[in-house]
Amino acid sequence: MAKFWNFVFFQAGWFACVLGAANKQVLWAVLATLAYIAFTIWRDHAPKLALKLLGKVLVYGIVADTIIMHLGYLDFQDDWPSPYLSPLWMWVLWVLVGGTINGSLSWLRGRPVLGFILGAICGPMSYEAGIRMGAGGWASAGSQTTGFILVGLVWGVAIPLFFYWDRTSINGGLAKNP
């Protein structure tokens, strides 16, 4: 049941942050999502390991999105805290994804090829959905395909990499819950 709720709260956080960005009202969405993330860390059987994983995921996400943005393929609706970095709400979404590694995505543990394939497909689809909801855009019409491919590569690498970084035993955490 814990995996189910992890999935539900992931989706709720995603929608809240994307809709908040689209409407330039990210504060409450970010705070609510961070509260959920803090709750999951607090409930984790190894909170220090969870924080380490989420910190690595956060850095990866900031660097990846910022590079794609500066290459001219992504344009985010909200640029807080800096126009030189990806926005805060995207940082929160990356950490939210990191929180699914031992939750709703735990079934991908030990399946790096499948993780790559799903990341490469679902990552760009998620960005496209956020763009269509108004949270950002592909920076220029001619670069949409290249941007989509870059996001796919970033996410294809991300999912297996996050499992590699995770040191939580398969017998621990949410992974053991049905």
Side-chain angles (χ1 to χ4, degrees), residues 11-34:
Q11 293 299 320
W14 186 90
F15 275 105
C17 287
V18 169
L19 288 173
N23 294 299
K24 296 195 182 271
Q25 300 285 327
V26 296
L27 177 64
W28 292 111
V30 165
L31 289 177
T33 305
L34 286 174

Side-chain angles (χ1 to χ4, degrees), residues 124-142:
M125 288 175 60
S126 178
Y127 280 58
E128 180 66 21
I131 287 168
R132 288 178 184 240
M133 292 170 70
W138 299 109
S140 66

